[in-house]
């Protein structure tokens, strides 16, 4: 039996969505599911953070407040931080685009795809791998702590100076 024609699966609606995504700077070859992930990963992360927190507090294998437990705690706490930066109240990407002086997403160094890759692969996957390797050596949990401290200090002391430097470098390349 053929599928019914509804706005969600009709080609007209699909074309409208694709035009909107292209206008916002997405590559035409990207699937709509990929775009959905790029835009909604922080919301998924806040839900995952809740599940991870429940598992952490009710897991009898790891002593609460031990180094390993605190290392695992970094993941859901970082997910909450990412939700605050990218979903509610959000504004991280827009602020970075403003500081870098990009006119739209196509010219920006800060794209939805780049944000997704850095945060999912760099933080979620990277922290998880470090925590798994923590069973071999505790140095791996210290790597997570160093990354978090470095990020906090860089944000606190740079006050946008690093981004202004990147903007000037970008302007030099354009000349």
């Amino acid at each position: 039996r053929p599928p019914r024609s509804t706005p969600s699966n009709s080609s007209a609606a699909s074309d409208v969505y694709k035009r909107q995504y292209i206008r916002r700077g997405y590559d035409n070859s990207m699937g709509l599911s990929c775009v959905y992930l790029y835009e909604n990963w922080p919301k998924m992360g806040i839900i995952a953070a809740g599940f991870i927190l429940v598992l952490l507090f009710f897991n009898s294998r790891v002593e609460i407040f031990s180094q390993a437990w605190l290392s695992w705690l970094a993941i859901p706490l970082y997910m909450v931080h990412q939700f605050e930066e990218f979903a509610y109240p959000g504004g991280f990407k827009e602020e970075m685009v403003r500081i870098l002086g990009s006119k739209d997403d196509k010219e920006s160094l800060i794209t939805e795809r780049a944000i997704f890759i850095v945060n999912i692969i760099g933080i979620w996957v990277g922290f998880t791998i470090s925590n798994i390797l923590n069973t071999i050596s505790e140095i791996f949990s210290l790597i997570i702590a160093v990354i978090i401290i470095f990020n906090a200090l860089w944000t606190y002391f740079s006050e946008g100076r690093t981004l202004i430097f990147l903007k000037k470098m970008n302007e030099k390349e354009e000349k």
Side-chain angles (χ1 to χ4, degrees), residues 37-46 48 75 78-79 82 86 112-129:
L37 279 175
Y38 290 166
E39 291 184 348
N40 293 295
W41 67 267
K43 297 170 192 160
M44 296 174 196
I46 198 76
I75 296 172
Y78 222 99
M79 289 174 168
Q82 291 167 333
F86 299 106
E112 296 287 343
R113 182 172 187 238
I115 290 169
F116 177 84
I117 290 170
V118 166
N119 286 286
I120 299 300
I121 295 174
I123 303 301
W124 295 11
V125 174
F127 281 19
T128 302
I129 291 171

Side-chain angles (χ1 to χ4, degrees), residues 38-153:
Y38 290 166
E39 291 184 348
N40 293 295
W41 67 267
K43 297 170 192 160
M44 296 174 196
I46 198 76
I47 294 167
F51 284 118
I52 295 169
L53 285 171
V54 168
L55 290 173
L56 276 173
F57 280 100
F58 294 105
N59 184 354
S60 62
R61 296 177 128 183
V62 180
E63 182 181 332
I64 293 180
F65 299 114
S66 66
Q67 182 180 352
W69 188 86
L70 290 171
S71 184
W72 280 105
L73 181 65
I75 296 172
L77 293 181
Y78 222 99
M79 289 174 168
V80 171
H81 167 68
Q82 291 167 333
F83 177 79
E84 165 266 325
E85 277 187 332
F86 299 106
Y88 182 80
F92 177 83
K93 179 185 174 205
E94 292 77 14
E95 182 65 14
M96 294 303 107
V97 168
R98 184 189 66 75
I99 290 171
L100 292 172
S102 300
K103 293 175 180 57
D104 60 23
D105 284 347
K106 290 181 182 176
E107 296 178 9
S108 177
L109 298 172
I110 312 288
T111 63
E112 296 287 343
R113 182 172 187 238
I115 290 169
F116 177 84
I117 290 170
V118 166
N119 286 286
I120 299 300
I121 295 174
I123 303 301
W124 295 11
V125 174
F127 281 19
T128 302
I129 291 171
S130 288
N131 280 321
I132 292 168
L133 293 174
N134 190 40
T135 59
I136 299 169
S137 172
E138 291 180 349
I139 192 83
F140 291 103
S141 64
L142 294 176
I143 291 170
I144 294 172
V146 168
I147 289 169
I148 292 171
I149 291 168
F150 178 76
N151 187 11
L153 291 174

